[in-house]
Amino acid sequence: GASAQTACPAGTYQPQQGQLLCLLTEPGHYSPVASAVQLACTAGTFTANTQSSSCTPASPGHHVSGTGATEQIPCAPGSFADHSGLANCVLAMPGHAVPDMGSSEQLTCGMGYYQDAYGQTSCLPAAPGSYAPNEGMLAATPCAVGTYAPNAGSTSCLPAEMGYYVDHINASTQTPCPDGFTTDIFGATSSAECHADN
Protein backbone atom coordinates (compact mmCIF):
# COMPACT_ATOMS: atom_id res chain seq x y z
CA GLY A 1 0.00 0.00 0.00
CA ALA A 2 2.99 2.38 -0.27
CA SER A 3 2.40 5.58 -2.16
CA ALA A 4 6.08 6.61 -2.28
CA GLN A 5 9.55 5.09 -2.21
CA THR A 6 12.08 5.83 0.53
CA ALA A 7 15.56 7.13 -0.32
CA CYS A 8 18.43 5.05 1.00
CA PRO A 9 20.06 7.06 3.81
CA ALA A 10 23.70 8.08 3.72
CA GLY A 11 25.95 5.10 4.35
CA THR A 12 23.65 2.72 2.49
CA TYR A 13 22.89 2.01 -1.16
CA GLN A 14 20.71 -0.14 -3.39
CA PRO A 15 21.68 -1.02 -6.97
CA GLN A 16 18.53 -2.98 -7.89
CA GLN A 17 14.90 -2.13 -8.46
CA GLY A 18 12.03 -3.36 -6.32
CA GLN A 19 13.95 -3.97 -3.12
CA LEU A 20 12.74 -3.88 0.46
CA LEU A 21 15.98 -2.81 2.17
CA CYS A 22 19.08 -0.74 1.52
CA LEU A 23 22.55 -2.32 1.75
CA LEU A 24 25.23 -1.10 4.17
CA THR A 25 28.42 0.20 2.59
CA GLU A 26 31.48 -2.00 3.12
CA PRO A 27 34.70 -0.86 4.85
CA GLY A 28 36.75 1.23 2.42
CA HIS A 29 33.59 2.58 0.80
CA TYR A 30 30.94 5.24 1.37
CA SER A 31 27.69 6.47 -0.10
CA PRO A 32 25.73 9.72 0.01
CA VAL A 33 21.94 9.87 0.37
CA ALA A 34 19.86 7.94 -2.21
CA SER A 35 22.85 6.24 -3.76
CA ALA A 36 22.58 3.35 -6.17
CA VAL A 37 26.19 2.28 -5.62
CA GLN A 38 28.84 2.42 -2.93
CA LEU A 39 31.88 4.49 -3.81
CA ALA A 40 35.48 3.54 -3.03
CA CYS A 41 37.39 5.91 -0.76
CA THR A 42 39.86 7.91 -2.83
CA ALA A 43 43.63 7.83 -2.28
CA GLY A 44 44.52 9.75 0.87
CA THR A 45 41.30 8.67 2.63
CA PHE A 46 39.93 5.53 4.28
CA THR A 47 37.16 4.12 6.41
CA ALA A 48 37.31 1.02 8.58
CA ASN A 49 33.55 0.91 9.23
CA THR A 50 30.44 -0.21 7.44
CA GLN A 51 27.62 2.27 6.73
CA SER A 52 29.96 5.22 6.07
CA SER A 53 28.65 8.40 4.51
CA SER A 54 32.16 9.77 3.97
CA CYS A 55 35.80 8.74 4.21
CA THR A 56 38.37 9.97 6.74
CA PRO A 57 41.52 11.78 5.52
CA ALA A 58 44.80 10.13 6.51
CA SER A 59 46.22 11.79 9.62
CA PRO A 60 49.54 13.69 9.58
CA GLY A 61 52.32 11.13 9.78
CA HIS A 62 50.28 8.64 7.73
CA HIS A 63 49.27 7.99 4.12
CA VAL A 64 46.77 6.01 2.04
CA SER A 65 48.19 5.21 -1.38
CA GLY A 66 45.33 3.30 -3.00
CA THR A 67 41.55 3.51 -3.33
CA GLY A 68 39.09 1.58 -1.19
CA ALA A 69 41.38 1.56 1.83
CA THR A 70 40.24 0.38 5.25
CA GLU A 71 43.21 1.76 7.17
CA GLN A 72 45.91 4.41 7.05
CA ILE A 73 49.59 3.45 6.97
CA PRO A 74 52.27 5.15 9.12
CA CYS A 75 55.05 6.83 7.16
CA ALA A 76 58.22 4.77 7.17
CA PRO A 77 61.37 6.11 8.85
CA GLY A 78 63.08 8.50 6.44
CA SER A 79 59.73 9.94 5.31
CA PHE A 80 56.97 12.12 6.78
CA ALA A 81 53.52 13.58 6.13
CA ASP A 82 53.12 17.12 7.42
CA HIS A 83 49.38 17.41 6.75
CA SER A 84 46.33 15.19 6.45
CA GLY A 85 44.93 13.43 3.39
CA LEU A 86 48.20 12.48 1.70
CA ALA A 87 48.37 9.56 -0.71
CA ASN A 88 52.14 9.28 -0.25
CA CYS A 89 54.66 10.30 2.38
CA VAL A 90 57.41 12.76 1.51
CA LEU A 91 61.08 11.75 1.70
CA ALA A 92 63.23 13.66 4.16
CA MET A 93 65.23 16.27 2.26
CA PRO A 94 69.03 16.59 2.32
CA GLY A 95 70.11 18.40 5.46
CA HIS A 96 67.32 16.62 7.33
CA ALA A 97 66.38 13.17 8.67
CA VAL A 98 63.34 11.31 10.03
CA PRO A 99 64.37 8.65 12.57
CA ASP A 100 60.92 7.38 13.58
CA MET A 101 57.88 5.78 11.96
CA GLY A 102 54.70 7.84 11.64
CA SER A 103 56.40 11.24 11.70
CA SER A 104 54.62 14.44 10.75
CA GLU A 105 57.84 16.44 10.35
CA GLN A 106 61.46 16.08 9.33
CA LEU A 107 64.27 17.00 11.72
CA THR A 108 66.98 19.46 10.72
CA CYS A 109 70.53 18.17 11.13
CA GLY A 110 72.22 19.94 14.02
CA MET A 111 75.54 21.77 14.03
CA GLY A 112 78.40 19.32 13.57
CA TYR A 113 76.24 17.05 11.41
CA TYR A 114 75.09 16.92 7.78
CA GLN A 115 73.06 14.79 5.35
CA ASP A 116 73.59 14.75 1.59
CA ALA A 117 70.80 12.35 0.53
CA TYR A 118 67.00 12.15 0.49
CA GLY A 119 65.00 9.79 2.71
CA GLN A 120 67.53 9.24 5.48
CA THR A 121 66.85 8.25 9.07
CA SER A 122 69.84 9.99 10.67
CA CYS A 123 72.35 12.75 10.11
CA LEU A 124 76.08 12.08 9.64
CA PRO A 125 78.76 13.58 11.88
CA ALA A 126 81.37 15.68 10.15
CA ALA A 127 84.41 13.42 9.80
CA PRO A 128 87.69 14.32 11.54
CA GLY A 129 89.38 16.94 9.38
CA SER A 130 86.09 18.62 8.54
CA TYR A 131 83.37 20.62 10.28
CA ALA A 132 79.70 21.60 9.96
CA PRO A 133 79.18 25.10 11.40
CA ASN A 134 75.43 25.45 10.67
CA GLU A 135 72.22 23.48 11.01
CA GLY A 136 70.77 21.70 7.98
CA MET A 137 74.06 21.32 6.12
CA LEU A 138 74.24 19.13 3.01
CA ALA A 139 77.97 18.42 3.39
CA ALA A 140 80.80 18.91 5.83
CA THR A 141 83.42 21.55 5.05
CA PRO A 142 87.11 20.54 4.94
CA CYS A 143 89.36 22.32 7.42
CA ALA A 144 91.51 24.93 5.73
CA VAL A 145 95.30 24.87 5.65
CA GLY A 146 96.62 25.91 9.06
CA THR A 147 93.69 24.33 10.89
CA TYR A 148 92.57 20.84 11.90
CA ALA A 149 89.67 18.97 13.54
CA PRO A 150 90.70 15.92 15.59
CA ASN A 151 87.19 14.67 16.37
CA ALA A 152 84.05 13.72 14.45
CA GLY A 153 81.08 16.10 14.71
CA SER A 154 83.13 19.29 14.93
CA THR A 155 81.45 22.65 14.48
CA SER A 156 84.74 24.45 13.79
CA CYS A 157 88.40 23.72 13.13
CA LEU A 158 91.25 24.48 15.50
CA PRO A 159 94.25 26.58 14.46
CA ALA A 160 97.60 24.82 14.61
CA GLU A 161 99.16 25.50 18.01
CA MET A 162 102.46 27.30 18.44
CA GLY A 163 105.22 24.84 17.59
CA TYR A 164 102.99 23.03 15.07
CA TYR A 165 101.78 23.54 11.50
CA VAL A 166 99.15 22.11 9.11
CA ASP A 167 100.17 22.21 5.45
CA HIS A 168 97.09 20.62 3.81
CA ILE A 169 93.31 20.82 3.90
CA ASN A 170 91.06 18.28 5.64
CA ALA A 171 93.61 17.64 8.39
CA SER A 172 92.68 15.79 11.55
CA THR A 173 96.10 16.29 13.18
CA GLN A 174 98.76 18.98 13.38
CA THR A 175 102.42 18.36 12.60
CA PRO A 176 105.05 19.34 15.18
CA CYS A 177 108.03 21.41 14.18
CA PRO A 178 111.35 19.52 14.43
CA ASP A 179 112.97 19.29 17.86
CA GLY A 180 114.34 22.66 18.92
CA PHE A 181 112.07 24.56 16.52
CA THR A 182 108.82 26.44 17.07
CA THR A 183 106.50 29.00 15.47
CA ASP A 184 105.58 32.50 16.56
CA ILE A 185 101.91 32.23 15.57
CA PHE A 186 98.90 29.99 15.79
CA GLY A 187 97.71 28.53 12.48
CA ALA A 188 101.09 28.02 10.79
CA THR A 189 100.63 26.57 7.31
CA SER A 190 104.03 25.08 6.51
CA SER A 191 107.29 23.84 8.03
CA ALA A 192 108.93 26.99 6.66
CA GLU A 193 107.30 28.88 9.50
CA CYS A 194 109.21 26.82 12.06
CA HIS A 195 112.37 28.49 13.39
CA ALA A 196 114.92 27.74 16.04
CA ASP A 197 113.54 28.07 19.50
CA ASN A 198 115.61 30.70 21.27
Side-chain angles (χ1 to χ4, degrees), residues 90-198:
V90 179
L91 292 178
M93 297 182 65
H96 300 77
V98 179
D100 301 318
M101 180 175 288
S103 292
S104 60
E105 62 182 355
Q106 59 183 346
L107 303 178
T108 303
C109 293
M111 295 171 60
Y113 291 79
Y114 73 97
Q115 182 50 258
D116 59 359
Y118 285 90
Q120 300 304 302
T121 59
S122 62
C123 298
L124 305 172
S130 65
Y131 68 109
N134 303 313
E135 295 183 346
M137 294 196 67
L138 310 186
T141 303
C143 291
V145 174
T147 67
Y148 71 107
N151 303 314
S154 295
T155 59
S156 63
C157 298
L158 304 171
E161 298 171 11
M162 292 181 66
Y164 294 82
Y165 64 93
V166 178
D167 60 2
H168 59 282
I169 65 168
N170 212 41
S172 59
T173 60
Q174 55 185 346
T175 304
C177 291
D179 287 345
F181 286 73
T182 190
T183 60
D184 293 326
I185 60 169
F186 289 95
T189 59
S190 74
S191 59
E193 296 179 67
C194 296
H195 60 82
D197 188 5
N198 295 324

Side-chain angles (χ1 to χ4, degrees), residues 21-35:
L21 300 171
C22 298
L23 305 174
L24 301 182
T25 59
E26 300 167 357
H29 297 77
Y30 73 102
S31 67
V33 174
S35 181

